[in-house]
Amino acid sequence: MALAVDGLEVRYGGVRAVRGVDITVGDGEVVALLGANGAGKSSTLLAIAGAIRPFAGRVRLDGRDVTGTTPERMVRAGVAMVPETRDVFPDLTVEENLRLGAYVRRRDRAGVEADRAAMFALFPRLAERADQTAGTLSGGEQQMLVIARAMMSRPRLLLLDEPSLGLAPTIVEQIFAMIAELAATGLSILLVEQNVSKALAVASRAYVMRLGRIAAAGPARELAAAADLEDHYLGG
Amino acid sequence: MTAAIQFVIDVLSLGGAYALMALGLVIVYGILRLVNFAYGELVMAAGYTLYLVGGSPLPWLVMAALAVAAAVLTGIATDYLAFRPVRTKSVTAVLITSFAFSTLLQNAAQLLISPRPRSIPLPEVFSDTVTVLGVVTPARNLITIAAAAVLLALFTLAMRRTILGIAMRAAATHFTMARMLGVPANLVITTAFAISGLLAGTVALLWLGRIGTVVPRVGLEPLLIAFIATVIGGMRSLEGAVLGGFLLAFIDTSLNYTLPQDLLKFRDAFTFSLVILILLWRPAGLVRGPATGQRT
């Protein structure tokens, strides 16, 4: 799965949240998108997922133009989104949340069953709580659920928005271990994170956003070595 | 004792009809956060279909099925004509188009059929009375209770067991998130309108069965009842709508039993006062929906 974003612009009324962003994600690549609050990372991700319509620019998947399409078409094209707000369906059970994640391939019953078993193996906490409503889960469990739910559509590209947000350090360790495991299966991931060191450890390349633009880009190792990264780009 | 049984039957039959009406309104509201003001016209469409096929030699159940189908189709037409073209643009626009669609259908009925009441065919059993536990009651009441029980059970089952039902419950809390899992927005919304039509159509058979006639403005009272029941029960919750329907029926029936004869014509004033008290106590309705939610 190759994702190519060219000159993406997102506006909310008169506010220019994203001002011409170029991003590529190659097959099986994990790419981090870093930046301070309000830099435009989430807007970029939502525009790629089709949840908001870009003001300008292009989004291409394997060379095919998918700019401004609907979120449901993007899922069918193989792109799954895990928003920052997590958005479990609180009054649906864990099991129902997962079943809904497989909506686009609901006719492949055996495959869905196998994937659910695989997700329960990867996230044993979810297996224990399969019949509980998602609203009763802890923050970390909800994060596991939304990642597992996104994986149920068998995406080729996963868009992950701040998976570590507001979670205890031990849970953050677990979540990043899962991300590494998923990446090892050949899944492409575009990861938005505030936790710079963790994100750079799991990613091969990274972009840094500042005020709606890409301020720096390069291999994760080089960016991690740049001592001034935090002050320059993430501080403000 | 017989008075108590009579009371229970009255509350359950009126409440069953109210609950179905409220559910039909809230299924669309839950997903779109918009009240379909053309909801009463679904009842009207079923009524006039029954009137139009009335002269035919068809068995009554076939006529009833046609009437319900007409309500379903009118529901789907409401989505396509009044909601879909303006849904993503402005809430005010949808309020106006749904009012306009309601008026349009009423005027069409006035113009093409008649502003005067038209009688509809009803099966014999609707005017029969039966004796239950020593209480003589119209068979219609028991049919209403049974129909409500069956429909509510089927509805619950469909919402819990089918993938589309689960998708609709999900769409009612986080519509965009449901779409980001691949649930098509238009399918969910059209299905909601179709279910709304199915419930309104069934209610129409039971409701118009009490009066035996249909007029262009016949939908106003069901819309009002559905609206009040959902406000009491909580606009965001399907269970709340059903609860609100039965509670409203309980209030109405209690007043019918207790108010002196000369105050009975002011019954609605008493009902609304109680509704205001309930809302002062619980402004969001009795059953609170999930905490978050956004429109398309």
Side-chain angles (χ1 to χ4, degrees), chain A residues 88-92 135, chain B residues 30 33 168-174 234-239 284 287-294:
Chain A
V88 296
F89 299 115
D91 48 356
L92 268 57
Chain B
R33 305 275 175 274
M168 296 188 69
R169 281 159 60 213
T173 51
H174 291 290
M235 296 288 282
R236 304 281 312 281
S237 155
L238 299 173
E239 295 85 355
V287 181
R288 257 162 236 172
T292 46
Q294 69 280 77

Side-chain angles (χ1 to χ4, degrees), chain A residues 18-80:
Chain A
V18 179
R19 314 175 170 206
V21 160
D22 302 330
I23 290 174
T24 61
V25 180
D27 260 322
E29 201 181 16
V30 178
V31 174
L33 183 58
L34 311 172
N37 264 332
K41 310 179 301 287
S42 294
S43 298
T44 303
L45 230 51
L46 286 168
I48 296 171
I52 50 181
R53 195 174 285 272
F55 180 80
R58 257 170 209 304
V59 180
R60 274 174 304 186
L61 273 180
D62 296 326
R64 204 159 56 88
D65 192 336
V66 291
T67 317
T69 183
T70 62
E72 46 266 44
R73 282 212 193 100
M74 287 305 280
V75 181
R76 257 175 267 144
V79 178

Side-chain angles (χ1 to χ4, degrees), chain A residues 130-161:
Chain A
D131 295 325
Q132 266 176 251
T133 54
T136 64
L137 301 184
S138 71
E141 289 163 351
Q142 292 194 356
Q143 187 62 56
M144 292 174 195
L145 177 58
V146 285
I147 295 177
R149 188 177 66 184
M151 292 305 297
M152 292 298 290
S153 68
R154 280 201 189 162
R156 291 175 298 155
L157 171 64
L158 183 64
L159 306 172
L160 269 180
D161 197 352

